[in-house]
Amino acid sequence: MNILKSKFFIFSFVFAATLGIFVCAALTYYIVSGIPPVYELEEYSPSLTTKVFDKNNNLIYEFSVEKRQLVPLDEIPVDIQNAVISMEDRNFFKHAGFSLKGIVRALVNDIVLGKAAQGGSTVTQQLSRGVFLTKEKKIIRKVREIFLSVQIERAFSKQEILQMYLNEIYFGEGAYGVKAAAKKYFNKDLSELTLGESAMLVGVIPLPSRYNPFAHPETAKQRRALVLNSMQEMGFITPEEAKAAKEEPLPEKKQAADKPGLYFIEYIRRILEPKYGMDTFWKGGLNIYTTIDIEKQALAEQIMNERLHDYDVRLAKDLGIEIVDDSIASEALPEEEEASSAEEKPEQKEYPQLQGAFFARDVKTGAIRIMIGGRNYEESRFNRATQAKRQPGSSFKPFVWMAALEKGYTPSTMIKDLEMVFYYDGNNWRVFDEAKDQYSLQLAAQPFMYSKDFDVWAPRNIGGSSSGFSTLRRALELSRNLVAVNLIDAVGVKNTINAARRAGIKSALPNAPALALGVSVVSLDELVSAMSTFANNGIYVEEYAIERVEDQNGRVLEQHIPNEREAFSPQDSFILINMMKGVVKRGTGGAARAIKKPIAGKTGTSQSYRDAWFIGMTPNIAAGAWMGYDDDTAQEKGRWTGGGAVAPWWTAIMQEVLKDEPAADFHVPDGISFASVNPETGKLALPGDRNKFLEAFKKGTEPSSF
């Protein structure tokens, strides 16, 4: 019996031991299977910031999920390293990855408090948790953390571990790593940090939200003092150094000013994000070198917003609405009066707000220099420079004039400035018999005006007057609608469409004579780019925004390759540009004369004054401005035209843009001759003509009579 009991006891013991070993093995396998191979830490690449630079290599924006910048240990201040050791892990250089004493202390605190509150983690444990493991406080995670920490200690030196930790740890305010934190809190590079600043940064590590100096300055100050005391205890600093550091001021959060160029930033994001994918674009640390000139961009935004605000005030005044500028009013009041004034201030009425857009590009290369898509990116991210399509009005006329030049017309060619009436017969637009006098023409058209079987169109000049005949030049300078319509009827709508296409217009264009008056819709960047073709000796150059993209190691992933083609002859292009210079010197774009440099331009106003435009060019840069309402509100009362309303603020912007550029004129190509002409008749000028004008012609096309 005793033998049987002994055998049973031995069997039970063996079974229990075997079961225990099996359970331990299974548990160990479960724990270890959840731990990634430590060699992955060598290949670990945390989320990096994608940086955007302007044409002068100024950093203008950062795309990131986490604000992080990697830096080697020898570039991290010793004060920061010592502060981390004194506060986070005093035995860092002695332990093998974990502290048994710290774990026991944390366990006791957790039992006393009844919840997992005390960490007790070494720097190595914090690193393993931050890189590989979740942050939830579970026992299994803690065990895995210890296992992984031991492996990390075996695979890496203490210096390597400290370097990885200081580049990985979260400091609050979206900043990961010490370099990003120094920039975020102090707007400094690491090498510029003081002892007090280093101590403050380390102080926020355990609880960034609680010890944030912007949100809780007193708590942050107490925490900084604790860090300095700890550093003093360990002999890293002297009492005098600690005292001086405690008296340093804490950083104050500055109100983030609106970054210039946000419409442009979104424009390039839409180009690159689909190409490289979300992860690479947002986390891959790309360096994007762009064409934008951020300094001029900022000036342009300021000027446009100020001018459009002034127009808003004028319009609101006409409607009996007083617009109060809160920022200006509050500056004049003491705090007590400001508070009471805010309570007494009547609620303002709703008033329409004008929108605007501005776009500038290099004539010869197509590089985008300025892009303003609206007055406030945060309020409306719709880019009115590239996404909006509006009627260009008379700013479309240069394409009609180019079609005429290619047909043999000259700036002195006389064109009818007479009323016409068109009707649509179901297939084509046709004009009534032009041989009749104006009264007979109106009389003949009357029955068709009210017929449901016919579409009838009778264009008019602004103001309703007509001069009878006009030279091609004078009609462009004064933007005569009837000349434009007579001209497109003579040279052909299809030829005009063809000229616009070659220049760079991609939008749909109607096969109708009204095209001459800009009834189609185009985008601002499209119109500016097409006009640039004329200023570039007839060479079309595709616009672009990105010079090159590099990966985090400086390897070039893509680089801009020019896309250009010959669209028009240099001679026709110069003659058109020469006529467009007259728009500024003597015509509707006179506001731009204030720049006092050669400018070729064209104004544009769409039907019912819904859209106002001005496009202007030098030999090097082309720029366009648009103004209107998003809901397409008509401005019959305001009567704001491209020349009267937009050209002035276009000029104000371009005075800043061009102030450092020489007053270069457009190149005169071979095959051009000049002759003095009478601007009214288009014939050679007589010696006594007071207003004679030196006109450009293709050789052999000069007028031969007086």
PDB file of all heavy atoms in Angstrom, residues 119-146:
ATOM      1  N   GLY A 119       5.116  54.005 -13.087  1.00  0.00           N
ATOM      2  CA  GLY A 119       5.788  53.333 -14.191  1.00  0.00           C
ATOM      3  C   GLY A 119       6.967  52.499 -13.761  1.00  0.00           C
ATOM      4  O   GLY A 119       7.017  51.304 -13.962  1.00  0.00           O
ATOM      5  N   GLY A 120       7.968  53.130 -13.141  1.00  0.00           N
ATOM      6  CA  GLY A 120       9.164  52.411 -12.736  1.00  0.00           C
ATOM      7  C   GLY A 120       9.992  51.926 -13.896  1.00  0.00           C
ATOM      8  O   GLY A 120      10.747  50.961 -13.775  1.00  0.00           O
ATOM      9  N   SER A 121       9.901  52.589 -15.058  1.00  0.00           N
ATOM     10  CA  SER A 121      10.582  52.126 -16.264  1.00  0.00           C
ATOM     11  C   SER A 121      11.928  52.804 -16.423  1.00  0.00           C
ATOM     12  O   SER A 121      12.080  54.001 -16.152  1.00  0.00           O
ATOM     13  CB  SER A 121       9.726  52.407 -17.502  1.00  0.00           C
ATOM     14  OG  SER A 121       8.504  51.721 -17.433  1.00  0.00           O
ATOM     15  N   THR A 122      12.898  52.040 -16.902  1.00  0.00           N
ATOM     16  CA  THR A 122      14.190  52.604 -17.262  1.00  0.00           C
ATOM     17  C   THR A 122      14.077  53.294 -18.608  1.00  0.00           C
ATOM     18  O   THR A 122      13.065  53.170 -19.324  1.00  0.00           O
ATOM     19  CB  THR A 122      15.250  51.501 -17.343  1.00  0.00           C
ATOM     20  OG1 THR A 122      14.897  50.622 -18.419  1.00  0.00           O
ATOM     21  CG2 THR A 122      15.356  50.728 -16.038  1.00  0.00           C
ATOM     22  N   VAL A 123      15.137  54.016 -18.989  1.00  0.00           N
ATOM     23  CA  VAL A 123      15.182  54.643 -20.307  1.00  0.00           C
ATOM     24  C   VAL A 123      15.035  53.581 -21.387  1.00  0.00           C
ATOM     25  O   VAL A 123      14.329  53.781 -22.392  1.00  0.00           O
ATOM     26  CB  VAL A 123      16.501  55.434 -20.473  1.00  0.00           C
ATOM     27  CG1 VAL A 123      16.783  55.722 -21.939  1.00  0.00           C
ATOM     28  CG2 VAL A 123      16.440  56.737 -19.689  1.00  0.00           C
ATOM     29  N   THR A 124      15.688  52.437 -21.197  1.00  0.00           N
ATOM     30  CA  THR A 124      15.622  51.366 -22.195  1.00  0.00           C
ATOM     31  C   THR A 124      14.203  50.820 -22.312  1.00  0.00           C
ATOM     32  O   THR A 124      13.733  50.533 -23.423  1.00  0.00           O
ATOM     33  CB  THR A 124      16.589  50.237 -21.819  1.00  0.00           C
ATOM     34  OG1 THR A 124      17.850  50.795 -21.445  1.00  0.00           O
ATOM     35  CG2 THR A 124      16.792  49.287 -22.989  1.00  0.00           C
ATOM     36  N   GLN A 125      13.517  50.678 -21.167  1.00  0.00           N
ATOM     37  CA  GLN A 125      12.132  50.202 -21.207  1.00  0.00           C
ATOM     38  C   GLN A 125      11.231  51.213 -21.920  1.00  0.00           C
ATOM     39  O   GLN A 125      10.353  50.833 -22.695  1.00  0.00           O
ATOM     40  CB  GLN A 125      11.629  49.961 -19.775  1.00  0.00           C
ATOM     41  CG  GLN A 125      12.184  48.709 -19.116  1.00  0.00           C
ATOM     42  CD  GLN A 125      11.746  48.606 -17.665  1.00  0.00           C
ATOM     43  OE1 GLN A 125      12.449  49.025 -16.762  1.00  0.00           O
ATOM     44  NE2 GLN A 125      10.571  48.054 -17.461  1.00  0.00           N
ATOM     45  N   GLN A 126      11.444  52.483 -21.626  1.00  0.00           N
ATOM     46  CA  GLN A 126      10.638  53.507 -22.297  1.00  0.00           C
ATOM     47  C   GLN A 126      10.870  53.480 -23.806  1.00  0.00           C
ATOM     48  O   GLN A 126       9.943  53.663 -24.595  1.00  0.00           O
ATOM     49  CB  GLN A 126      10.987  54.890 -21.736  1.00  0.00           C
ATOM     50  CG  GLN A 126      10.573  55.108 -20.290  1.00  0.00           C
ATOM     51  CD  GLN A 126      10.950  56.500 -19.809  1.00  0.00           C
ATOM     52  OE1 GLN A 126      10.647  57.501 -20.448  1.00  0.00           O
ATOM     53  NE2 GLN A 126      11.621  56.559 -18.664  1.00  0.00           N
ATOM     54  N   LEU A 127      12.117  53.242 -24.207  1.00  0.00           N
ATOM     55  CA  LEU A 127      12.432  53.147 -25.630  1.00  0.00           C
ATOM     56  C   LEU A 127      11.742  51.950 -26.264  1.00  0.00           C
ATOM     57  O   LEU A 127      11.132  52.064 -27.337  1.00  0.00           O
ATOM     58  CB  LEU A 127      13.943  53.043 -25.825  1.00  0.00           C
ATOM     59  CG  LEU A 127      14.427  52.840 -27.274  1.00  0.00           C
ATOM     60  CD1 LEU A 127      14.068  54.034 -28.136  1.00  0.00           C
ATOM     61  CD2 LEU A 127      15.930  52.576 -27.307  1.00  0.00           C
ATOM     62  N   SER A 128      11.816  50.796 -25.615  1.00  0.00           N
ATOM     63  CA  SER A 128      11.186  49.591 -26.166  1.00  0.00           C
ATOM     64  C   SER A 128       9.682  49.757 -26.277  1.00  0.00           C
ATOM     65  O   SER A 128       9.058  49.325 -27.243  1.00  0.00           O
ATOM     66  CB  SER A 128      11.528  48.373 -25.298  1.00  0.00           C
ATOM     67  OG  SER A 128      10.980  48.521 -23.998  1.00  0.00           O
ATOM     68  N   ARG A 129       9.100  50.419 -25.279  1.00  0.00           N
ATOM     69  CA  ARG A 129       7.652  50.648 -25.306  1.00  0.00           C
ATOM     70  C   ARG A 129       7.278  51.638 -26.402  1.00  0.00           C
ATOM     71  O   ARG A 129       6.301  51.469 -27.121  1.00  0.00           O
ATOM     72  CB  ARG A 129       7.200  51.168 -23.945  1.00  0.00           C
ATOM     73  CG  ARG A 129       5.713  51.474 -23.854  1.00  0.00           C
ATOM     74  CD  ARG A 129       5.280  51.741 -22.432  1.00  0.00           C
ATOM     75  NE  ARG A 129       5.882  52.948 -21.877  1.00  0.00           N
ATOM     76  CZ  ARG A 129       6.693  52.968 -20.834  1.00  0.00           C
ATOM     77  NH1 ARG A 129       7.062  51.843 -20.249  1.00  0.00           N
ATOM     78  NH2 ARG A 129       7.172  54.110 -20.373  1.00  0.00           N
ATOM     79  N   GLY A 130       8.087  52.689 -26.542  1.00  0.00           N
ATOM     80  CA  GLY A 130       7.770  53.719 -27.524  1.00  0.00           C
ATOM     81  C   GLY A 130       7.892  53.254 -28.950  1.00  0.00           C
ATOM     82  O   GLY A 130       7.149  53.684 -29.824  1.00  0.00           O
ATOM     83  N   VAL A 131       8.843  52.348 -29.199  1.00  0.00           N
ATOM     84  CA  VAL A 131       9.077  51.909 -30.568  1.00  0.00           C
ATOM     85  C   VAL A 131       8.212  50.723 -30.952  1.00  0.00           C
ATOM     86  O   VAL A 131       7.619  50.677 -32.029  1.00  0.00           O
ATOM     87  CB  VAL A 131      10.571  51.566 -30.769  1.00  0.00           C
ATOM     88  CG1 VAL A 131      10.806  50.991 -32.159  1.00  0.00           C
ATOM     89  CG2 VAL A 131      11.431  52.794 -30.542  1.00  0.00           C
ATOM     90  N   PHE A 132       8.135  49.710 -30.069  1.00  0.00           N
ATOM     91  CA  PHE A 132       7.544  48.434 -30.470  1.00  0.00           C
ATOM     92  C   PHE A 132       6.227  48.074 -29.800  1.00  0.00           C
ATOM     93  O   PHE A 132       5.431  47.336 -30.359  1.00  0.00           O
ATOM     94  CB  PHE A 132       8.542  47.299 -30.177  1.00  0.00           C
ATOM     95  CG  PHE A 132       9.760  47.335 -31.042  1.00  0.00           C
ATOM     96  CD1 PHE A 132      11.018  47.513 -30.484  1.00  0.00           C
ATOM     97  CD2 PHE A 132       9.671  47.206 -32.408  1.00  0.00           C
ATOM     98  CE1 PHE A 132      12.152  47.540 -31.271  1.00  0.00           C
ATOM     99  CE2 PHE A 132      10.799  47.232 -33.208  1.00  0.00           C
ATOM    100  CZ  PHE A 132      12.037  47.399 -32.643  1.00  0.00           C
ATOM    101  N   LEU A 133       6.019  48.533 -28.571  1.00  0.00           N
ATOM    102  CA  LEU A 133       4.904  48.026 -27.778  1.00  0.00           C
ATOM    103  C   LEU A 133       3.846  49.089 -27.557  1.00  0.00           C
ATOM    104  O   LEU A 133       4.092  50.286 -27.722  1.00  0.00           O
ATOM    105  CB  LEU A 133       5.419  47.513 -26.420  1.00  0.00           C
ATOM    106  CG  LEU A 133       6.538  46.463 -26.499  1.00  0.00           C
ATOM    107  CD1 LEU A 133       7.075  46.171 -25.110  1.00  0.00           C
ATOM    108  CD2 LEU A 133       6.032  45.187 -27.155  1.00  0.00           C
ATOM    109  N   THR A 134       2.665  48.606 -27.167  1.00  0.00           N
ATOM    110  CA  THR A 134       1.592  49.537 -26.855  1.00  0.00           C
ATOM    111  C   THR A 134       1.871  50.194 -25.514  1.00  0.00           C
ATOM    112  O   THR A 134       2.660  49.702 -24.709  1.00  0.00           O
ATOM    113  CB  THR A 134       0.236  48.813 -26.787  1.00  0.00           C
ATOM    114  OG1 THR A 134       0.255  47.897 -25.685  1.00  0.00           O
ATOM    115  CG2 THR A 134      -0.038  48.056 -28.070  1.00  0.00           C
ATOM    116  N   LYS A 135       1.179  51.284 -25.244  1.00  0.00           N
ATOM    117  CA  LYS A 135       1.391  52.000 -23.991  1.00  0.00           C
ATOM    118  C   LYS A 135       0.367  51.638 -22.927  1.00  0.00           C
ATOM    119  O   LYS A 135       0.356  52.213 -21.844  1.00  0.00           O
ATOM    120  CB  LYS A 135       1.355  53.517 -24.264  1.00  0.00           C
ATOM    121  CG  LYS A 135       2.541  53.996 -25.096  1.00  0.00           C
ATOM    122  CD  LYS A 135       2.458  55.468 -25.366  1.00  0.00           C
ATOM    123  CE  LYS A 135       3.716  55.977 -26.068  1.00  0.00           C
ATOM    124  NZ  LYS A 135       3.995  55.323 -27.325  1.00  0.00           N
ATOM    125  N   GLU A 136      -0.514  50.694 -23.208  1.00  0.00           N
ATOM    126  CA  GLU A 136      -1.504  50.293 -22.209  1.00  0.00           C
ATOM    127  C   GLU A 136      -0.816  49.559 -21.068  1.00  0.00           C
ATOM    128  O   GLU A 136       0.141  48.814 -21.255  1.00  0.00           O
ATOM    129  CB  GLU A 136      -2.578  49.396 -22.844  1.00  0.00           C
ATOM    130  CG  GLU A 136      -2.024  48.160 -23.520  1.00  0.00           C
ATOM    131  CD  GLU A 136      -3.118  47.344 -24.176  1.00  0.00           C
ATOM    132  OE1 GLU A 136      -4.280  47.579 -23.835  1.00  0.00           O
ATOM    133  OE2 GLU A 136      -2.794  46.488 -24.995  1.00  0.00           O
ATOM    134  N   LYS A 137      -1.288  49.780 -19.857  1.00  0.00           N
ATOM    135  CA  LYS A 137      -0.617  49.248 -18.668  1.00  0.00           C
ATOM    136  C   LYS A 137      -1.190  47.881 -18.306  1.00  0.00           C
ATOM    137  O   LYS A 137      -2.091  47.761 -17.480  1.00  0.00           O
ATOM    138  CB  LYS A 137      -0.746  50.238 -17.515  1.00  0.00           C
ATOM    139  CG  LYS A 137       0.006  51.540 -17.787  1.00  0.00           C
ATOM    140  CD  LYS A 137       0.036  52.459 -16.594  1.00  0.00           C
ATOM    141  CE  LYS A 137       0.886  53.686 -16.875  1.00  0.00           C
ATOM    142  NZ  LYS A 137       0.969  54.603 -15.738  1.00  0.00           N
ATOM    143  N   LYS A 138      -0.657  46.858 -18.937  1.00  0.00           N
ATOM    144  CA  LYS A 138      -1.024  45.476 -18.649  1.00  0.00           C
ATOM    145  C   LYS A 138       0.231  44.715 -18.246  1.00  0.00           C
ATOM    146  O   LYS A 138       1.342  45.029 -18.685  1.00  0.00           O
ATOM    147  CB  LYS A 138      -1.665  44.817 -19.875  1.00  0.00           C
ATOM    148  CG  LYS A 138      -3.047  45.377 -20.206  1.00  0.00           C
ATOM    149  CD  LYS A 138      -3.656  44.622 -21.378  1.00  0.00           C
ATOM    150  CE  LYS A 138      -5.065  45.131 -21.682  1.00  0.00           C
ATOM    151  NZ  LYS A 138      -5.687  44.426 -22.817  1.00  0.00           N
ATOM    152  N   ILE A 139       0.043  43.705 -17.408  1.00  0.00           N
ATOM    153  CA  ILE A 139       1.195  42.953 -16.901  1.00  0.00           C
ATOM    154  C   ILE A 139       1.967  42.306 -18.040  1.00  0.00           C
ATOM    155  O   ILE A 139       3.194  42.332 -18.066  1.00  0.00           O
ATOM    156  CB  ILE A 139       0.726  41.885 -15.886  1.00  0.00           C
ATOM    157  CG1 ILE A 139       0.176  42.584 -14.636  1.00  0.00           C
ATOM    158  CG2 ILE A 139       1.874  40.963 -15.513  1.00  0.00           C
ATOM    159  CD1 ILE A 139      -0.380  41.635 -13.599  1.00  0.00           C
ATOM    160  N   ILE A 140       1.256  41.708 -19.021  1.00  0.00           N
ATOM    161  CA  ILE A 140       1.927  41.009 -20.109  1.00  0.00           C
ATOM    162  C   ILE A 140       2.786  41.979 -20.927  1.00  0.00           C
ATOM    163  O   ILE A 140       3.891  41.654 -21.367  1.00  0.00           O
ATOM    164  CB  ILE A 140       0.896  40.289 -21.027  1.00  0.00           C
ATOM    165  CG1 ILE A 140       1.627  39.377 -21.999  1.00  0.00           C
ATOM    166  CG2 ILE A 140       0.026  41.301 -21.750  1.00  0.00           C
ATOM    167  CD1 ILE A 140       2.350  38.236 -21.352  1.00  0.00           C
ATOM    168  N   ARG A 141       2.283  43.222 -21.090  1.00  0.00           N
ATOM    169  CA  ARG A 141       3.062  44.216 -21.807  1.00  0.00           C
ATOM    170  C   ARG A 141       4.317  44.577 -21.026  1.00  0.00           C
ATOM    171  O   ARG A 141       5.399  44.754 -21.580  1.00  0.00           O
ATOM    172  CB  ARG A 141       2.208  45.459 -22.065  1.00  0.00           C
ATOM    173  CG  ARG A 141       2.795  46.431 -23.096  1.00  0.00           C
ATOM    174  CD  ARG A 141       3.721  47.476 -22.495  1.00  0.00           C
ATOM    175  NE  ARG A 141       2.993  48.343 -21.584  1.00  0.00           N
ATOM    176  CZ  ARG A 141       3.548  49.002 -20.589  1.00  0.00           C
ATOM    177  NH1 ARG A 141       4.831  48.865 -20.352  1.00  0.00           N
ATOM    178  NH2 ARG A 141       2.833  49.773 -19.789  1.00  0.00           N
ATOM    179  N   LYS A 142       4.186  44.662 -19.705  1.00  0.00           N
ATOM    180  CA  LYS A 142       5.323  45.002 -18.861  1.00  0.00           C
ATOM    181  C   LYS A 142       6.399  43.914 -18.926  1.00  0.00           C
ATOM    182  O   LYS A 142       7.598  44.204 -19.006  1.00  0.00           O
ATOM    183  CB  LYS A 142       4.847  45.185 -17.416  1.00  0.00           C
ATOM    184  CG  LYS A 142       5.854  45.900 -16.525  1.00  0.00           C
ATOM    185  CD  LYS A 142       5.952  47.360 -16.908  1.00  0.00           C
ATOM    186  CE  LYS A 142       6.854  48.124 -15.957  1.00  0.00           C
ATOM    187  NZ  LYS A 142       7.001  49.528 -16.338  1.00  0.00           N
ATOM    188  N   VAL A 143       5.964  42.664 -18.935  1.00  0.00           N
ATOM    189  CA  VAL A 143       6.917  41.558 -19.009  1.00  0.00           C
ATOM    190  C   VAL A 143       7.635  41.586 -20.351  1.00  0.00           C
ATOM    191  O   VAL A 143       8.852  41.419 -20.428  1.00  0.00           O
ATOM    192  CB  VAL A 143       6.197  40.211 -18.788  1.00  0.00           C
ATOM    193  CG1 VAL A 143       7.161  39.046 -19.009  1.00  0.00           C
ATOM    194  CG2 VAL A 143       5.604  40.150 -17.394  1.00  0.00           C
ATOM    195  N   ARG A 144       6.865  41.784 -21.421  1.00  0.00           N
ATOM    196  CA  ARG A 144       7.483  41.864 -22.739  1.00  0.00           C
ATOM    197  C   ARG A 144       8.454  43.037 -22.822  1.00  0.00           C
ATOM    198  O   ARG A 144       9.506  42.961 -23.457  1.00  0.00           O
ATOM    199  CB  ARG A 144       6.395  42.017 -23.813  1.00  0.00           C
ATOM    200  CG  ARG A 144       5.646  40.727 -24.098  1.00  0.00           C
ATOM    201  CD  ARG A 144       4.486  40.958 -25.037  1.00  0.00           C
ATOM    202  NE  ARG A 144       3.854  39.691 -25.409  1.00  0.00           N
ATOM    203  CZ  ARG A 144       2.649  39.584 -25.953  1.00  0.00           C
ATOM    204  NH1 ARG A 144       1.940  40.680 -26.188  1.00  0.00           N
ATOM    205  NH2 ARG A 144       2.145  38.402 -26.254  1.00  0.00           N
ATOM    206  N   GLU A 145       8.097  44.126 -22.173  1.00  0.00           N
ATOM    207  CA  GLU A 145       8.950  45.300 -22.141  1.00  0.00           C
ATOM    208  C   GLU A 145      10.310  44.974 -21.519  1.00  0.00           C
ATOM    209  O   GLU A 145      11.353  45.404 -22.018  1.00  0.00           O
ATOM    210  CB  GLU A 145       8.239  46.397 -21.340  1.00  0.00           C
ATOM    211  CG  GLU A 145       8.949  47.717 -21.257  1.00  0.00           C
ATOM    212  CD  GLU A 145       8.173  48.686 -20.376  1.00  0.00           C
ATOM    213  OE1 GLU A 145       7.051  49.076 -20.780  1.00  0.00           O
ATOM    214  OE2 GLU A 145       8.667  49.031 -19.286  1.00  0.00           O
ATOM    215  N   ILE A 146      10.310  44.209 -20.436  1.00  0.00           N
ATOM    216  CA  ILE A 146      11.559  43.829 -19.772  1.00  0.00           C
ATOM    217  C   ILE A 146      12.379  42.911 -20.667  1.00  0.00           C
ATOM    218  O   ILE A 146      13.597  43.096 -20.826  1.00  0.00           O
ATOM    219  CB  ILE A 146      11.258  43.154 -18.417  1.00  0.00           C
ATOM    220  CG1 ILE A 146      10.614  44.172 -17.463  1.00  0.00           C
ATOM    221  CG2 ILE A 146      12.526  42.576 -17.808  1.00  0.00           C
ATOM    222  CD1 ILE A 146      10.082  43.559 -16.184  1.00  0.00           C
TER     223      ILE A 146
END
